[in-house]
Amino acid sequence: METMEIALDLLRLDFLNPRFSFFNFKTEEEVIDYLKKFEQLDALVTSINAYGYKTLGERIIVIKDEDDCYIVLEGNRRVAALKEIHVGSLRTFTVPADIVLDREDALFKIASKHIASIKEWSPVEKRAFYSNQFEAAMKEGKEAK
């Protein structure tokens, strides 16, 4: 795992995130709108504006994609809030991130945080997480044959 600062304009929200993977969003704007309506994104924006973006022990987790951008596996709400705040300066504002090689490298951290911890997922979001893991395992099993 590598740690580095990544510009906001290189960060992409993860459409497979259990919070919104059931909705088949096509754009980040759709995801951000959902987060505003149902996941208290505006409260997070207010908090960051008031207290700053503090990352002590809470770097986002990303994976590099084929376009040399980074998909946010952990920290989608924080990144969405920062994108709302820094609309005109996405290229210059950077976020500390842990870069993992694949989604599996991030699973333990993500699951331990959201299954029964700080920002616990709803039952539907937990179901989406487990469903996504099951589907990935089934696909991997079929490809191995």
Side-chain angles (χ1 to χ4, degrees), residues 38-83:
F38 301 105
E39 297 290 339
Q40 301 84 36
L41 185 66
D42 291 333
L44 183 55
V45 167
T46 299
S47 175
I48 291 172
N49 277 328
Y51 304 108
Y53 180 65
K54 308 228 185 306
T55 60
L56 185 60
E58 281 297 316
R59 288 184 300 269
I60 63 171
I61 300 173
V62 300
I63 186 169
K64 196 169 191 176
D65 70 9
E66 62 275 356
D67 297 325
D68 287 330
C69 290
Y70 297 87
I71 299 170
V72 180
L73 302 180
E74 171 55 29
N76 282 276
R77 283 181 68 243
R78 286 174 278 155
V79 169
L82 291 169
K83 286 185 176 206

Side-chain angles (χ1 to χ4, degrees), residues 68-118:
D68 287 330
C69 290
Y70 297 87
I71 299 170
V72 180
L73 302 180
E74 171 55 29
N76 282 276
R77 283 181 68 243
R78 286 174 278 155
V79 169
L82 291 169
K83 286 185 176 206
E84 287 289 288
I85 293 167
H86 296 283
V87 172
S89 58
L90 295 181
R91 191 169 301 245
T92 57
F93 188 84
T94 61
V95 180
D98 291 330
I99 304 169
V100 296
L101 297 175
D102 55 40
R103 286 179 179 273
E104 196 153 313
D105 284 346
L107 280 182
F108 177 78
K109 169 68 174 167
I110 293 168
S112 65
K113 181 175 181 181
H114 293 292
I115 299 301
S117 186
I118 298 169

Side-chain angles (χ1 to χ4, degrees), residues 9 28 38 46 61 81 85 101 125 132 142-143:
D9 70 330
E28 285 195 351
F38 301 105
T46 299
I61 300 173
I85 293 167
L101 297 175
E125 292 162 347
N132 290 345
K142 287 179 182 177
E143 289 173 357

Side-chain angles (χ1 to χ4, degrees), residues 25-41:
F25 294 131
K26 303 292 185 234
T27 68
E28 285 195 351
E29 291 76 20
E30 291 175 321
V31 171
I32 290 172
D33 186 50
Y34 170 83
L35 291 171
K36 284 180 178 180
K37 289 179 183 173
F38 301 105
E39 297 290 339
Q40 301 84 36
L41 185 66

Side-chain angles (χ1 to χ4, degrees), residues 14-23 34 39 73 76 103 110 114 121-122 124-130 132-133:
D14 183 12
F15 294 152
L16 298 179
N17 182 294
R19 276 201 177 96
F20 32 80
S21 64
F22 280 139
F23 301 105
Y34 170 83
E39 297 290 339
L73 302 180
N76 282 276
R103 286 179 179 273
I110 293 168
H114 293 292
W121 285 327
S122 71
V124 171
E125 292 162 347
K126 289 177 186 176
R127 184 203 174 281
F129 174 80
Y130 291 123
N132 290 345
Q133 297 314 303

